[in-house]
Amino acid sequence: MQAMSERSAPTARPRGRQRASHSLDTVLGEAIAILDEGGEPALTFRALATRLGGGVASIYWYVKSRDELIELATEEVMGRVLADSEPLTHGPDPLANVRALALALFDEAVRRPWFGQFMLRNRGMQANSMAMFERVGRQLMELDLTPRQRFHAVSSIISYVVGVAVDLAQPPPREFLESGMAPSEFLAMYADRWRALDPDEYPFAHQVAGEIATHDDVDVFRSGLDLLLAGLRLQAGAGSAS
Amino acid sequence: MQAMSERSAPTARPRGRQRASHSLDTVLGEAIAILDEGGEPALTFRALATRLGGGVASIYWYVKSRDELIELATEEVMGRVLADSEPLTHGPDPLANVRALALALFDEAVRRPWFGQFMLRNRGMQANSMAMFERVGRQLMELDLTPRQRFHAVSSIISYVVGVAVDLAQPPPREFLESGMAPSEFLAMYADRWRALDPDEYPFAHQVAGEIATHDDVDVFRSGLDLLLAGLRLQAGAGSAS
DNA sequence: CCGAGTATCGAACGACGTTCAAGACGATAG
DNA sequence: CTATCGTCTTGAACGTCGTTCGATACTCGG
């Protein structure tokens, strides 16, 4: 294991101080708080510095760049998800365990839109991201699959989770923000617009217009995840054909 | 159909001109060229202006903001994919058609990493993005599914395609760029790092280390897509249970 | 030839990530 | 107590970005 924090201040003590004093933990904590409140665009070095009660340049003592700051914040949150979801991996059915893990990951991405957005960037050897990959993969080791099938399956599942999460993380259209409507109202208006399309040219949009008005994002996610897992169960039961 | 280009210059004529003269088409064309060559960060108004042989402010005559520029570029490319993939929708098996559509979309996202990245933003009523949604959905109308199942399936499939595409669109790690290694070399080194992990703590990573060294991104994508479609075929054959 | 609408231009603004030399702080040694 | 050294913070600056503005060139119908 590599040391995750090369630098660390002797714990912040804000009492009777002339100059501000931080630590990697407080920097990361405030960064996450900003991300939670205002999303990615809100995470500015100047905003973070103001919040920490210091200057902009101080942050560079703890972090090499904005990208590294986001990377560390993402890893931090991934660590928490990893810890919280540990109990979900002991059920008898491996695919049910995978499902629980995927849902836990997705839940966090719904709570923190920026999290899903930046899981993508951590393609590297980040300890916690790798651990999640490992954890899902280990469940699949109990299924009758070739290593290649297992690798493909884990990659696909993670991509699906992240993909849907990122999709949801997109900022709502300006139209919505400016309208001041409730989300359900806006969706209803959206559905009406679908219904207004030519039924001959857009039969499908016409048919599912009602669904978009009442849909729940988590339902949609779970539905696709179950399709993926059903396909995987089929593959595992069919011997080792590729 | 809404008019896609409100403004249009009377075709550019670069002869004997003191001042530059553009049109929405040339602006979009050069923007796409820049995106193709240097990815999203390269698309700068100043770079685009230089390329068009004019000033920065001129671009704002055709486009309201950088976001709108990217939106229009994405829609333009989606239109081409839509046109190119039209012949793929007439096969006898609806799911095979969906598979062909998904692969066509994915191929374009591999060719143009920025395209996948920005399909996400077009959550709205963009004509061409909606048409792709409609086209996939119409294939599913031939299957025995409830409207809700159809809606979930289309959403999941598109999310999966976009999700994997965005994943691939991530810039390669600095480590790779600085190493000057060939991609296959780098992957091999990567696999070695996986193999170096503790086999007891990371049994899965150990098992699939070989796969990552030789994997093909398109194979991984196709594999997950087939799992998804297999699950969907199962659902369609099982009556209308949710 | 002229005036109104169309299209382009250079210069500027504010915000951002990042860098730098200077200095303040805390601990330790003499 | 003081000198010193490495750790940490600071304010000011640089360059780039998206965006805005008023002035100006161009085109075309009258």
Side-chain angles (χ1 to χ4, degrees), chain A residues 2 57 74 126 162 166 178 190 199 207 209:
Chain A
Q2 294 169 325
T74 307
Q126 306 298 338
V162 174
V166 170
E178 292 165 358
Y190 222 78
Q207 187 183 77

Side-chain angles (χ1 to χ4, degrees), chain B residues 64-127:
Chain B
K64 206 182 317 177
S65 68
R66 182 172 188 264
D67 280 342
E68 188 181 296
L69 176 63
I70 289 175
E71 193 175 298
L72 290 178
T74 308
E75 267 289 292
E76 167 72 26
V77 171
M78 181 62 92
R80 295 182 205 169
V81 176
L82 223 40
D84 293 348
S85 66
E86 199 278 338
L88 303 174
T89 62
H90 301 300
D93 179 12
L95 286 182
N97 296 343
V98 170
R99 198 179 111 109
L101 280 176
L103 282 172
L105 203 53
F106 184 74
D107 274 354
E108 190 67 25
V110 168
R111 232 190 316 276
R112 313 184 120 102
W114 58 271
F115 178 61
Q117 190 175 347
F118 290 112
M119 268 192 292
L120 289 169
R121 301 205 183 169
N122 286 21
R123 292 275 270 167
M125 290 278 294
Q126 305 299 339

